[in-house]
């Protein structure tokens, strides 16, 4: 266990941040899965902007890397364009 007040506080902060980041990362994964599972083009096109917005926000806040967000958006756009 930590001995210094500052290190105890740091542990509390890190745990809080870890849980916050985990929640948003999981939410992002679920949104991407939902979009990939969609077979209707109209539904996928309607869902894409919200997923794109979520990815951009997470990249801006350094929860995911900006290149990962770009790669996901690119792959999802390609997936949507392939739908009939």
């Amino acid at each position: 266990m930590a001995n210094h007040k500052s290190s105890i506080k740091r542990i509390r902060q890190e745990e809080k941040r870890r849980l916050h980041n985990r929640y948003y990362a999981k939410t992002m994964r679920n949104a991407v899965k939902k979009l990939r599972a969609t077979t209707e083009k109209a539904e996928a096109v309607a869902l894409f902007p919200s997923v794109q917005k979520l990815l951009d926000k997470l990249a801006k806040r350094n929860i995911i890397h900006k290149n990962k967000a770009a790669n996901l958006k690119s792959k999802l756009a390609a997936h949507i364009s392939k739908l009939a």
Side-chain angles (χ1 to χ4, degrees):
M1 187 62 204
N3 293 323
H4 297 278
K5 257 185 153 178
S6 61
S7 58
I8 292 169
K9 180 179 178 182
R10 177 66 63 194
I11 289 168
R12 278 199 319 266
Q13 288 175 330
E14 286 170 354
E15 179 64 13
K16 190 174 180 182
R17 277 195 201 105
R18 184 183 72 84
L19 293 174
H20 182 265
N21 290 345
R22 243 178 98 191
Y23 169 77
Y24 281 104
K26 185 68 174 175
T27 304
M28 177 219 34
R29 285 195 301 272
N30 287 338
V32 169
K33 274 185 203 171
K34 185 178 178 185
L35 184 59
R36 281 203 181 119
T38 306
T39 54
E40 303 259 339
K41 185 163 186 152
E43 192 180 332
V45 168
L47 195 61
F48 186 59
S50 62
V51 174
Q52 199 171 12
K53 185 178 175 182
L54 180 67
L55 289 169
D56 287 335
K57 277 186 180 179
L58 295 180
K60 186 175 91 175
R61 294 177 184 160
N62 289 324
I63 295 172
I64 61 171
H65 196 274
K66 64 183 176 119
N67 288 352
K68 180 180 177 72
N71 287 337
L72 282 170
K73 287 191 295 184
S74 172
K75 285 185 178 162
L76 291 172
H79 169 72
I80 291 171
S81 68
K82 286 179 186 173
L83 292 175

